[in-house]
Each structure stands twice: as C-alpha cells, then as structure tokens.
Amino acid sequence: RMPEKSEHNQEPTVEPVHQKTHFLSQLQFLEGVQPQALEHLMERTTEKTFSPGEIILQEGSKGREVLIILDGLVEAVKHQGNEDVFLARCGPGQVLGEMGFLESRPRFATVRAIEPTRVLELSENIMRDVFAEQPELLLRTTQVLSQRLRESQESMIADLQNKNRQLAQAYDDLQRAQADLVLKERMDRELELARNLQESFLPRHFPTLEGARFAARSRSARQVGGDFYDVIALDDRRVGVVVADVSGKGMPAALYMALTRSLVRAEARRDPSPRQVLLSTHRLLMEIIQTNMFVTVFYGILDLPTRKIRYVRAGHDYPIVFTPATRKHRTLDAEGTMLGMFGEAYLEETETTLEPGDWLILYTDGITDVTSTSGEFFGIANLIQVICDSQAKTPQELCDEIFEAVKVFQG
C-alpha cells in the first residue's frame, strides 16, 4: 500500500545527537569506532521516516546510499514471476543497501516498511570518506553483508523447498484427478453402451391386433438399469405381455435384461402356460449365469376374443386394471418369487377377465420409487390417482400423463 502523501519531508523526530551516536556505536559494523568519528558521521546523515507499506528501497534501482534502521520494522522481498518471495525482516540497528554500495549494481531486492519506520541515510560520498578514515569498517561491512546473503539464501531455499512440496502435492493431486477422469469416462462409456443396448431391446412398434391396443413409454434414469417390456403375438388370437425389472445398474443389468427377454420370448412360443414359461426362464438363468442378480417379471397371455388373461407375477409390482366406465380400479394379485436367485421358484398362475374398455397398466418401481425434493416416494397411491383422474383416450396418452405427473412430483 502506497501512502497518499509521502512522509519523507515531514519534520523528523527530534533526538539528541549523543543518543544517536550511542545507538551507532552499538552496531556490529561500527563497533570500536572513535566517538569523534561517530559524531562526525552523525552530522552528515539524513533521517527519514516511512509509513507502513511504503517502499524504502526498490528492486532494480541504482541508488548507492546505505540506510541504518533507527526504529520500526521492514521486510525484504524478491520479485519472481508473478509473486514476491519473502527474504527477511529487519529491525532497529540493521543495515540496508550495503550490497548496492559495494557492488555498484541495481538493488537486489525491494525493502518496504511493515510499521512506521525511521532510518538514517548515509550517502555514497559519506560512506567512501568513512571507509577511508576507518578501513576496518570495510571488513565489518563485508561480514555483515556475508551474513545477510546467507540469511537471504537460506530464506530462498526454504521458500523453494516449500514450493517443491506444494508442486509435488499438486502433481499427486493431478495424477489422482486424471485416474478419476479415466474411471469416469470408462463408466460413462459403459452406461452409454448399456443404455443403447437397453433401448435396442425395447420394442418401438407393437403388433396390430383386433381387440386390443398397446403403448409404452420408458425414460432412462441417471444410471441405466434392466427394466424392459414386450408384447409378443403368439397367434391370431393370443398375445403375451411382459414387464420386468432386473436388479442392479449399468452394463451387467443391461446384459442380464437382454438375456432374460430373449429367454422369455423363446419359451413363450413353446409353452401356452405363463407359469411354465417363467419357470423355464428361471431354470435357464440359473444354469447360464452364476451371479447374485435377479429379475422380477409379470407375464400374462391375453385371449383377445374372450378377454381372459392368464398371468403370473414373479415378485413384480402389482399391475392395475382400471375401468373408465365406473372409474374403479383393482390390482392383479398372484403369489410368486423372483427369477434367477433361488434354486426353486414359486409361481402362482391366475386368470381374470377384462371388460370392454378396461385399461391394464404394467409398470416397474422406476415409477413408484421416484422421490420428491422433500424425499417422499411417488408410490402406488399417486399412480392410481393419476390413472383414475385421467381423461386419456388412447394408451399412449395415458403413458404420457403418468410421466408428466412423475416429472411434476420430482420438481
């Protein structure tokens, strides 16, 4: 900080000459000098005062005067790059600028006041006269200078060592950050591949069958899981409907999903019993994959002319049947365990009849487990409320209304 007004020309503090002479006699490089010589020296000095933050000696300047600190505190800094490197602090009795006098070179460092400071300034001519009269002073001055250089060197070495430690730490942090970045990129790539795989297995078009219309909607969460759905035309009157949820996330879940879907489709064309289709799928999963993953499935076979649906629920969420004419709903209950986890799967096959105009809503817990900003679950009750309040005319409209309600709930 530069003061608004220099104090160089302010009236110096009045101090008896003999007190200053006594002060000079205590200095290391003036020790032993005759009192008369010191008084003669005092008569030729100039006293100056500096405010905190004010520069006393500027690095790179060519002045050759020598300064002796009477009172106050100063610091010496060396400019390197974009910052100042601290060298030393100096107080009363210490000498400044002797290096510039002896070497006749630009100032090595900048000296600025830390607190109000008074100095005695000895010009180049005065110093030459003093050294001519007292040659031993030159030796003492050189000793002081040597000590000063040592201290500055030690300070700079300590500063460099500290910077080296900081640089080493920064390098270690950079290596860890690079490793984390590589891991993140690999995970992002895996999630992208899993998402592409999942989307490739979800049907974009459904069979066109007399007596029923189908629609679906899916949105990936931040991490890809193993949810999937399918509509399988078995013959001219029967259609299989599937919704499933594989445990886990990422590529393993996507691969498990792809395998399960393929097995269900293959078995569905071989066996007319939903229960036998899922039992066969379970046995094949246990044989093919040795893992702690599992899948919950709802699989039903709808007979279009009779509107009867035979179904099994392998640990999956309860499907909802909604009758718009009465605005009433019910759930399709059946006992069953998940597939691919335990040695024997228990599945109960049940039949029910859908009335003309009924909606059958299949879903995964990706809907009901959505949370609001306050941490509340969307839940089955909100899903049923959306369905019962819906004015949708087509299955796709109902899917869109449910997703919009979830979006609003999430905030």
Side-chain angles (χ1 to χ4, degrees), residues 193-341:
L193 291 173
R195 186 177 295 112
N196 293 338
L197 179 63
Q198 183 182 32
E199 291 176 353
S200 70
F201 276 89
L202 296 179
R204 292 181 172 83
H205 306 285
F206 295 111
T208 302
L209 300 170
E210 185 176 353
R213 287 182 293 174
F214 307 92
R217 183 167 173 180
S218 175
R219 188 184 73 192
S220 297
R222 286 187 297 273
Q223 291 192 4
V224 177
D227 292 5
F228 72 94
Y229 54 84
D230 207 352
V231 177
I232 309 167
L234 300 175
D235 52 41
D236 59 355
R237 61 176 292 160
R238 293 181 309 125
V239 59
V241 290
V242 185
V243 64
D245 179 7
V246 175
S247 64
K249 303 291 183 183
M251 183 59 77
L255 292 173
Y256 198 95
M257 176 272 289
L259 175 62
T260 304
R261 178 180 181 272
S262 298
L263 293 175
V264 170
R265 287 184 69 91
E267 293 299 317
R269 300 186 187 283
R270 282 199 288 264
D271 201 308
S273 165
R275 179 176 181 272
Q276 291 302 320
V277 167
L278 292 195
L279 284 176
S280 297
T281 300
H282 168 71
R283 285 193 293 267
L284 290 169
L285 287 173
M286 296 293 290
E287 291 177 7
I288 296 172
I289 299 181
Q290 300 297 321
T291 178
N292 59 356
M293 298 181 70
F294 61 88
V295 58
T296 65
V297 186
F298 172 88
Y299 175 52
I301 298 178
L302 174 64
D303 186 89
L304 295 172
T306 64
R307 301 186 308 280
K308 293 184 181 298
I309 181 170
R310 294 193 63 80
Y311 65 89
V312 287
R313 192 184 65 86
H316 197 76
D317 302 87
Y318 295 96
I320 300 168
V321 176
F322 174 62
T323 303
T326 61
R327 313 307 292 179
K328 292 183 178 180
H329 74 277
R330 59 190 172 96
T331 57
L332 298 187
D333 302 332
E335 297 299 322
T337 57
M338 62 196 71
L339 308 183
M341 175 63 82

Side-chain angles (χ1 to χ4, degrees), residues 112-132:
R112 59 188 170 218
I114 298 177
E115 57 187 43
T117 301
R118 287 191 304 143
V119 301
L120 289 178
E121 181 182 280
L122 291 82
S123 67
E124 177 184 358
N125 291 334
I126 294 174
M127 292 301 297
R128 288 183 181 277
D129 293 344
V130 169
F131 287 142

Side-chain angles (χ1 to χ4, degrees), residues 376-393:
E376 298 176 276
F377 287 102
F378 186 74
I380 184 67
N382 278 327
L383 176 58
I384 292 173
Q385 189 66 49
V386 172
I387 294 169
C388 291
D389 293 344
S390 173
Q391 300 298 319
K393 302 299 182 184

Side-chain angles (χ1 to χ4, degrees), residues 44-68:
R44 301 165 69 182
T45 60
T46 303
E47 183 178 323
K48 292 185 176 181
T49 60
F50 296 88
S51 300
E54 192 172 0
I55 292 178
I56 300 173
L57 296 177
Q58 178 66 55
E59 179 180 348
S61 63
K62 295 185 179 181
R64 299 190 65 187
E65 65 275 10
V66 176
L67 306 178
I68 302 172

